[in-house]
Amino acid sequence: MGENLPYAADAERQALTLQSPLCPLKPEELQVLRGQYEKEGDFVGVQTKFNYAWGLIKSNIRGEQQEGVRLLSEIYRNAPERRRECLYYLALGNFKLGNYAEAKRYNESLLQHEPGNMQAASLQSLIDDKVAKEGLVGVAIVSGVAIAAGVIGSLIFKGARRR
C-alpha cells in the first residue's frame, strides 16, 4: 500500500495544477462558454458573462485576455452585488496583460475584504515580484543609457578640445 502513495500525491498535484487560475481552458471548453454567451445574445446573464470572461482570462492569447478583462469590468460596473467575485479575476487578467498597477489595485481591494484569501495573497506575491523585476530592468536600462550618454559626451568633448 505504501508503494501507491507517491502516485496518489502526483495525481493530486496534477489535479491542482489543472485547476490553476493560470492554466488555460482547452479550446473546446472555451467554445462551450463562448457558445452559451453568444446564444444569450443581448440578454446575456451576468453569470454567463462571468463564466465566459473567466475562460478568456485563463487564455494564453492576449486578445482573449483583454476581452475577458473588458467583460469583467462591465460586470464590476453594472452589478455591484458581483464586484467581490470580479476582483480576483480582474487582478489576474491585468497581471497577465502586464498591467501591474491595475492588478495590484484590484487585488489589494480584494485583500481588504478578505485578508485571509490565499489565492489573492499568492497573486499579490506574483505581482510584487514582477514589479520588482521590471523595476530592476528599468534601472538597468536607465543606467545603461546614462553610461552611453556619458561616453558619447566625453568623446564629443575630447574631439572639441583637440580642434
Side-chain angles (χ1 to χ4, degrees):
M1 182 162 171
E3 295 174 327
N4 292 333
L5 287 178
Y7 298 110
D10 289 342
E12 184 177 341
R13 265 195 301 276
Q14 186 175 7
L16 288 173
T17 302
L18 292 174
Q19 295 172 356
S20 166
L22 296 174
C23 185
L25 296 178
K26 294 176 185 167
E28 56 272 12
E29 293 171 328
L30 184 57
Q31 185 55 43
V32 168
L33 297 174
R34 180 180 290 119
Q36 184 63 37
Y37 176 79
E38 291 172 351
K39 179 180 162 189
E40 292 184 25
D42 291 338
F43 304 102
V44 66
V46 174
Q47 188 62 50
T48 299
K49 185 185 277 191
F50 180 87
N51 292 347
Y52 182 45
W54 168 81
L56 292 169
I57 293 290
K58 290 174 64 78
S59 173
N60 288 331
I61 300 169
R62 185 171 178 82
E64 290 180 350
Q65 294 167 353
Q66 289 170 326
E67 178 67 5
V69 167
R70 187 188 70 73
L71 292 172
L72 283 171
S73 294
E74 285 179 11
I75 296 169
Y76 187 83
R77 277 191 312 275
N78 300 326
E81 70 282 1
R82 302 296 292 267
R83 284 185 177 156
R84 191 198 56 72
E85 291 175 79
C86 293
L87 287 172
Y88 177 76
Y89 289 103
L90 280 166
L92 181 64
N94 278 290
F95 173 78
K96 289 179 79 173
L97 291 168
N99 304 330
Y100 304 123
E102 281 294 295
K104 189 173 183 77
R105 184 172 66 85
Y106 285 119
N107 203 56
E108 285 177 348
S109 181
L110 177 57
L111 285 169
Q112 281 180 335
H113 291 85
E114 298 179 17
N117 186 317
M118 296 307 291
Q119 250 185 335
S122 177
L123 181 56
Q124 189 67 40
S125 177
L126 289 174
I127 294 168
D128 291 343
D129 289 349
K130 272 291 197 192
V131 168
K133 182 180 176 185
E134 288 204 355
L136 291 175
V137 169
V139 167
I141 290 170
V142 169
S143 298
V145 169
I147 290 169
V151 169
I152 291 170
S154 69
L155 291 174
I156 291 171
F157 184 71
K158 284 180 183 178
R161 282 183 41 187
R162 289 187 185 165
R163 291 183 191 177

